[in-house]
């Protein structure tokens, strides 16, 4: 793959799905500057034929968060702001990627690791996953967009509890409270993520675009602005040649029906 990635990131392809592995297990996939910049480049420069991404971590943990060695040294407020903004740009590339991003969570998903997970679209947790925001214990604060994204998943009160008291959430609690959309057995996360990513990769391109870019805007708009934007997006999507073909396929009985199968 053409990406210029640091040794802490490893990319492969499986058909239309790009698979990105956090690959720094000796440091529990702690995110240093090079890794964060590499994430930014990877998501900004996805090959045109990539239709979905799966992100997972090597070793026993998804990510121990910020590489704490990167914020020690001579105190410098301006440098601190720029550092946080560098994370923002990287995770922005993920949240607003051209294609959906599926993350597999296991072991520690803490601090910046949880911020990274929160910038992906679908989170698949294995039973070993646990979530923590130990910034209070370290004397720092969220810096990777977590104060914007994590409360939108689980609410301000729970984020405050985690940050004030050091409360950790189990994989089951995370699933119940909305951190992950899926909870699977240990070791089953990557296969599940690939299955889901391949499904998403098979959707109409314009619908996936609308889900990633229009839906979150609409959900945060006033209802009147949301209804109007939705009507525009609906008209744009349904008039694409791809949509017209897919609609004909259904009406002429060439497309699969929607059924419900219990897992
Ligand atoms: C690290 C980091 C790290 C491990 N930065 N080096 N994050 C934290 O506060 C979590 C800190 N980490 C831990 O609590 C534990 O390491 C784990 C529970 C994740 C894993 O425990 P364990 O027993 O498997 O590993 P370990 O022995 O603690 O760590 C292995 C090595 O990784 C060790 O280095 P070594 O040279 O002694 O082998 C650790 O020092 C190193 N390591 N985690 C640097 N985070 C944008 S703002 C975001 C703010 C935050 O992310 S705050 C949360 C920070």
């Amino acid at each position: 793959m053409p990406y210029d990635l640091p040794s802490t990131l490893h990319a492969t392809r499986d058909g239309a799905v790009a698979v990105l592995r956090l690959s720094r297990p000796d440091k529990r996939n702690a995110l240093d500057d090079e890794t964060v910049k590499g994430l930014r480049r990877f998501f900004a420069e996805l090959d045109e034929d990539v239709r979905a991404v799966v992100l997972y971590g090597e070793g026993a943990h998804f990510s121990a968060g910020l590489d704490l060695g990167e914020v020690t040294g001579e105190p410098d407020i301006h440098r601190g702001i720029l550092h946080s903004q560098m994370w923002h740009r990287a995770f922005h590339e993920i949240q607003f990627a051209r294609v959906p991003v599926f993350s597999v969570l296991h072991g520690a998903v803490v601090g910046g690791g949880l911020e990274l997970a929160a910038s992906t679209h679908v989170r698949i947790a294995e039973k070993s996953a646990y979530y923590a925001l130990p910034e209070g214990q370290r004397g720092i604060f969220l810096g990777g967009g977590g104060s914007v994204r994590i409360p939108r998943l689980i609410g301000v009160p729970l984020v405050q509890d985690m940050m004030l008291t050091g409360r950790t959430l189990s994989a089951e609690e995370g699933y119940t409270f909305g951190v992950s959309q899926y909870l699977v057995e240990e070791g089953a996360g990557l296969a599940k993520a690939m299955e889901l990513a391949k499904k998403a990769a098979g959707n109409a391109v314009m619908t996936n675009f609308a889900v990633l870019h229009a839906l979150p805007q609409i959900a945060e708009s006033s209802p009147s602005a949301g209804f109007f934007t939705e009507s525009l997006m609906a008209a744009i999507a349904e008039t694409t040649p791809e949509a017209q073909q897919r609609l004909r396929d259904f009406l002429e009985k060439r497309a699969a029906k929607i059924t419900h199968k219990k897992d």
Side-chain angles (χ1 to χ4, degrees):
M1 295 180 96
Y3 310 112
D4 171 24
L5 296 179
S7 61
T8 52
L9 292 174
H10 185 260
T12 52
R13 273 291 286 273
D14 182 346
V17 180
V19 182
L20 185 65
R21 186 175 78 225
L22 301 174
S23 189
R24 200 187 180 201
D26 53 321
K27 295 289 180 189
R28 308 313 184 242
N29 297 321
L31 301 167
D32 59 5
D33 287 358
E34 285 314 304
T35 306
V36 175
K37 288 177 188 166
L39 286 168
R40 180 182 172 202
R41 283 197 301 278
F42 177 82
F43 285 96
E45 296 165 17
L46 283 172
D47 285 341
E48 267 185 31
D49 58 344
V50 168
R51 304 283 295 269
V53 177
V54 167
L55 172 70
Y56 74 106
E58 185 176 337
H61 303 280
F62 175 70
S63 172
L66 169 70
D67 185 325
L68 294 166
E70 305 251 287
V71 285
T72 50
E74 195 63 32
D76 183 334
I77 289 177
H78 187 232
R79 193 160 55 92
I81 294 169
L82 296 179
H83 186 249
S84 169
Q85 289 183 328
M86 187 261 286
W87 279 59
H88 289 168
R89 281 192 287 274
F91 292 3
H92 183 94
E93 291 292 353
I94 300 175
Q95 181 179 356
F96 299 104
R98 187 174 52 73
V99 299
V101 183
F102 296 76
S103 54
V104 182
L105 310 179
H106 75 299
V109 184
V110 308
L114 182 52
E115 295 184 289
L116 170 59
S119 70
T120 67
H121 305 104
V122 179
R123 287 163 292 279
I124 299 107
E126 295 186 352
K127 292 236 165 110
S128 67
Y130 65 96
Y131 310 101
L133 293 171
E135 282 81 353
Q137 292 156 62
R138 308 283 176 236
I140 56 178
F141 190 59
L142 293 156
S147 47
V148 173
R149 295 191 184 97
I150 302 170
R152 283 175 164 77
L153 297 179
I154 62 176
V156 169
L158 192 47
V159 174
Q160 287 179 323
D161 186 15
M162 292 171 75
M163 294 194 72
L164 292 172
T165 68
R167 177 176 177 178
T168 60
L169 302 181
S170 66
E172 286 80 6
E173 287 172 317
Y175 176 62
T176 304
F177 296 144
V179 177
S180 75
Q181 291 97 322
Y182 293 86
L183 177 61
V184 299
E185 292 301 323
E186 203 53 29
L190 186 55
K192 184 70 181 175
M194 290 304 298
E195 174 200 326
L196 297 171
K198 284 179 181 172
K199 281 188 189 162
N203 286 345
V205 169
M206 188 61 87
T207 306
N208 278 2
F209 170 82
V211 171
L212 300 186
H213 294 267
L215 178 65
Q217 296 269 3
I218 293 168
E220 298 203 346
S221 316
S222 66
S224 61
F227 289 131
F228 183 64
T229 308
E230 182 191 80
S231 67
L232 298 180
M233 194 64 247
I236 292 167
E238 75 200 22
T239 50
T240 58
E242 184 175 15
Q244 289 301 309
Q245 182 61 51
R246 285 169 180 255
L247 294 165
R248 272 196 306 278
D249 285 347
F250 178 76
L251 295 171
E252 294 164 13
K253 311 225 175 287
R254 289 189 297 273
K257 295 185 185 184
I258 310 304
T259 54
H260 180 69
K261 176 167 66 66
K262 283 215 162 105
D263 276 342

